[in-house]
Amino acid sequence: MHGWLVALASNLNDNSAENRVIDGRPLSGTDIAPLELWPIAGERMPLAVAKLQTYLLLFIGTVPPLMFEDRVPGSLVLTWLFLITFASYRMDKAPTWPDDRHLSLRRLRHRESRVMLFLGFVIAFVGALAALFLLAFVVGFFSGSEWVLRNALQNGLAGALSFGLSYGALIGLKADKEALVVRPKDPLRSSLFFALVMTVPGVIVIGAILTFAYSGNGDLGAGLSLRLIAAIPAGMGMAFAFGSGLGVLRYLSLLICTRRWNRVYLPCRLGRFLDWCYGAGLLRISGTSYQFRHRELQDHLARNTVT
C-alpha cells in the first residue's frame, strides 16, 4: 500500500515540478482523477494499449466464424479488413483527452426527457427499419437468396428496435456534466454506460454483416449463436473506434500499464483502493478528484520511497 501511495504522490509532485503538459492540458499537481490518471504510466504507452484493446476486440469477433464455420466467404474477410483499417484510422484521430457524452437514467424522472427519448426512438426505429429492409432486398435480389428476404422482417425489426433504443437513450438520457458528475467514480460510470449504449448498434451491424455473409447457407442452427458471440466484442470494438466510451478505455489501459513489470505499480482495483484511502483519512474528495488530505503527506511520500 505504501508503494501505491508513493507512486501517486511522486506523480503529482513531478507534474507540479516539471509543469507537465499533454496535448495542451496541464497535468495537475494535486488532483487524482481516475479517468485522467493514465499519464502516470507514460504519455504514449496507455494510448497504444487503448488501440491494441480495440484491435483485440475486433480480432476476437473473427475467431468464431474462422474456427467453427465450414467456409469463410471472401466478402467477410474483406469487410473485416475494412473494419480494422477504419478502426485504426479512427483511433489515430481520437482525442487525447476524450469528453464522453454523459447519460443518466435519472433523466427519466423528467417529462421532457421521456418525450425526447420516445421521439428519438421513433425516428431511429423508422429510419433503421427502412434502411435494413432496403439492404435486405438489395442483397437478396443480387445474391438470389430467398432466406434473406424471408427473414428480413424478423431481423429488421430486431435491428431497428436496437437502433431506436440506442438513439433514444442518447438524446433522452443526456445530462449535463455538472449535474451528473458529483463524485470521483461518476465519470467512469458515465463513460461505461455510454460505451454500452453505443455497443448495441455495433453488435447489430456486425451481426447483420455476418448474417448476410452466410445467408447462402440457409441453415443457421448453432451458427447463429456463434455469430452473436462474435458480434458482441466486435460491436464494442466499433463503439470504441467511433469514439464512444474512450474514458473507460483509457482507464483500462491505465490498469494494464501499471502492473509490476512497469516502473509504476498500482492496484488492479484502483477505485476501491482510493475509496479505502478516503475512508482512512489519507485522501479527501474535491469534486470529481481525490486529493491528499495534507500537502505535507504528499511531499513526505514523494521524498521517502522506502517503507
Side-chain angles (χ1 to χ4, degrees):
M1 184 184 69
H2 177 268
W4 298 334
L5 291 172
V6 166
L8 294 173
S10 299
N11 176 69
L12 295 177
N13 278 17
D14 290 344
N15 292 342
S16 179
E18 300 173 8
N19 295 320
R20 295 178 63 194
V21 178
I22 296 181
D23 197 19
R25 176 179 294 190
L27 301 186
S28 176
T30 57
D31 294 345
I32 305 173
L35 287 192
E36 299 179 0
L37 191 58
W38 57 266
I40 194 175
E43 296 184 15
R44 298 180 180 178
M45 183 181 297
L47 300 180
V49 171
K51 294 181 181 179
L52 289 177
Q53 291 180 81
T54 304
Y55 301 151
L56 180 61
L57 289 171
L58 292 173
F59 175 75
I60 292 174
T62 67
V63 173
L66 292 177
M67 293 185 62
F68 301 104
E69 297 287 357
D70 295 333
R71 66 179 183 87
V72 179
S75 59
L76 179 61
V77 176
L78 293 177
T79 302
W80 228 264
L81 290 176
F82 169 77
L83 290 178
I84 294 176
T85 304
F86 178 75
S88 176
Y89 171 78
R90 290 287 304 182
M91 291 300 293
D92 288 338
K93 298 296 183 180
T96 304
W97 300 100
D99 186 16
D100 289 329
R101 184 173 298 187
H102 298 279
L103 306 177
S104 175
L105 291 175
R106 288 176 290 190
R107 296 292 301 173
L108 292 176
R109 302 173 184 173
H110 306 284
R111 182 177 179 274
E112 60 273 14
S113 297
R114 295 194 297 268
V115 171
M116 291 299 297
L117 189 150
F118 177 75
L119 291 177
F121 168 77
V122 171
I123 295 173
F125 177 81
V126 174
L129 188 62
L132 290 173
F133 268 127
L134 179 61
L135 179 62
F137 176 79
V138 172
V139 173
F141 178 79
F142 285 100
S143 65
S145 174
E146 297 181 359
W147 179 88
V148 176
L149 297 177
R150 289 198 308 266
N151 292 271
L153 178 59
Q154 178 182 352
N155 297 310
L157 286 174
L161 181 64
S162 301
F163 272 108
L165 290 175
S166 297
Y167 184 74
L170 285 178
I171 65 174
L173 302 182
K174 182 180 179 181
D176 294 333
K177 181 178 180 180
E178 292 74 14
L180 175 63
V181 179
V182 294
R183 294 173 297 180
K185 285 186 177 181
D186 287 342
L188 179 60
R189 292 171 178 170
S190 179
S191 179
L192 178 59
F193 185 31
F194 184 38
L196 293 177
V197 169
M198 295 306 297
T199 296
V200 176
V203 171
I204 297 301
V205 171
I206 299 298
I209 292 173
L210 293 173
T211 300
F212 290 139
Y214 289 96
S215 60
N217 293 345
D219 181 21
L220 290 178
L224 182 60
S225 60
L226 292 176
R227 291 160 202 163
L228 179 61
I229 294 174
I232 292 176
M236 180 165 286
M238 288 304 298
F240 288 143
F242 272 95
S244 305
L246 289 181
V248 71
L249 191 64
R250 297 281 195 276
Y251 184 75
L252 292 175
S253 300
L254 166 68
L255 298 182
I256 294 174
C257 294
T258 51
R259 304 280 50 85
R260 291 185 182 274
W261 52 266
N262 198 354
R263 62 181 179 83
V264 178
Y265 174 49
L266 293 176
C268 292
R269 308 183 73 173
L270 179 60
R272 174 164 289 192
F273 170 69
L274 294 174
D275 280 343
W276 182 89
C277 292
Y278 169 71
L282 300 175
L283 300 178
R284 64 186 178 188
I285 291 179
S286 176
T288 59
S289 304
Y290 296 94
Q291 295 178 347
F292 281 95
R293 186 168 292 274
H294 302 289
R295 182 58 187 256
E296 291 78 6
L297 174 61
Q298 176 180 323
D299 295 337
H300 171 76
L301 290 170
R303 290 193 304 266
N304 299 276
T305 58
V306 180
T307 305

